[in-house]
Amino acid sequence: MERAAVFDVDGTLVDTNHLHVTAWWEAFRQAGHRVSMHRLHRAVGLPSGGLVAHVLGEDRDPERDGELSAAHKALYGQFFDRLPALPDAGPLLKRLHADGWRVVLATSAGGAELGALRRAIDADEAITATASADDVEEGKPAPEPVEHALELAGVPAERAVFVGDTVWDMRAASRAGVRRVAVLCGGIPRADLEEAGAEAVYDDPAHLLASLPDSLLA
């Protein structure tokens, strides 16, 4: 039977979480909001609309959410030509593909941003499909992105493993009924990831690749 390895991208395969924090901080600053970097870091992984709502709360003017998202997109877009893959991100995907896994990306990114991330990973030949923000109505922590990834892979939840770096990833995967592996390279503490549902935690893609024989992706 086919198996699916579903991966988040930002902070899991590409070292972009702090770039997102910087871009969001500047977007909020330009709009007159003082938001701490720490609070923004904990919100990374949510889709843009969800992040704005999470950070500013219900008292904000929701009609300005689009302006904040557009500002973040423009600021973050300045990094597209130099996004850094995390150690062994591409080799990990290639190894799983060679081992018979259907590798699917499940990410809040879409369009040009997704293209830049895939170029950074440099493993297109190993990627079966991508479930992006453009494909679902509700992003993480809702299970939709993971469920859509499973549909694209043609694999049931019990034959899939999800790999991510945020509590939003772990909650989405839990709700979708798949096994859950977390990595620390996105900057979220191990305890938080485990509390959100991570069954195993590794430092980064290189650590997971080196540990494959004893992992949920064996």
Side-chain angles (χ1 to χ4, degrees), residues 15-97:
D15 194 8
T16 52
N17 280 7
H18 290 88
L19 297 178
H20 276 296
V21 169
T22 299
W24 275 117
W25 178 85
E26 178 61 15
F28 280 112
R29 189 197 68 80
Q30 290 178 3
H33 301 289
R34 297 185 65 178
V35 181
S36 73
M37 295 274 190
H38 176 74
R39 181 162 176 76
L40 289 168
H41 180 226
R42 290 307 188 97
V44 167
L46 291 169
S48 292
L51 184 146
V52 173
H54 181 79
V55 170
L56 295 184
E58 299 301 322
D59 295 335
R60 75 191 190 287
D61 178 3
E63 293 186 0
R64 299 200 64 188
D65 287 4
E67 296 175 24
L68 285 163
S69 295
H72 163 263
K73 184 176 182 179
L75 290 160
Y76 180 67
Q78 300 174 50
F79 300 110
F80 280 2
D81 62 347
R82 55 192 187 278
L83 299 181
L86 284 155
D88 281 345
L92 172 61
L93 300 192
K94 292 174 184 177
R95 168 67 182 277
L96 291 171
H97 176 69

Side-chain angles (χ1 to χ4, degrees), residues 57 75 125 151:
L75 290 160
E125 67 274 23
E151 291 173 5

Side-chain angles (χ1 to χ4, degrees), residues 19-200:
L19 297 178
H20 276 296
V21 169
T22 299
W24 275 117
W25 178 85
E26 178 61 15
F28 280 112
R29 189 197 68 80
Q30 290 178 3
H33 301 289
R34 297 185 65 178
V35 181
S36 73
M37 295 274 190
H38 176 74
R39 181 162 176 76
L40 289 168
H41 180 226
R42 290 307 188 97
V44 167
L46 291 169
S48 292
L51 184 146
V52 173
H54 181 79
V55 170
L56 295 184
E58 299 301 322
D59 295 335
R60 75 191 190 287
D61 178 3
E63 293 186 0
R64 299 200 64 188
D65 287 4
E67 296 175 24
L68 285 163
S69 295
H72 163 263
K73 184 176 182 179
L75 290 160
Y76 180 67
Q78 300 174 50
F79 300 110
F80 280 2
D81 62 347
R82 55 192 187 278
L83 299 181
L86 284 155
D88 281 345
L92 172 61
L93 300 192
K94 292 174 184 177
R95 168 67 182 277
L96 291 171
H97 176 69
D99 287 348
W101 290 83
R102 291 188 176 179
V103 177
V104 183
L105 307 182
T107 172
S108 299
E113 179 183 350
L114 178 57
L117 291 166
R118 291 187 64 145
R119 288 193 297 276
I121 298 166
D122 191 25
D124 275 357
E125 67 274 23
I127 299 170
T128 299
T130 301
S132 78
D134 301 331
D135 304 321
V136 296
E137 292 186 7
E138 191 172 1
K140 303 166 191 171
E144 269 192 73
V146 182
E147 292 170 345
H148 183 55
L150 297 179
E151 291 173 5
L152 293 174
V155 174
E158 60 269 19
R159 298 281 299 172
V161 177
F162 183 90
V163 183
D165 69 298
T166 68
V167 296
W168 318 114
D169 290 327
M170 297 301 106
R171 290 174 185 172
S174 296
R175 292 167 183 171
V178 304
R179 305 295 301 273
R180 300 163 300 282
V181 170
V183 287
L184 298 172
C185 43
I188 301 302
R190 178 187 296 268
D192 291 7
L193 295 167
E194 290 177 340
E195 183 179 354
E199 299 173 72

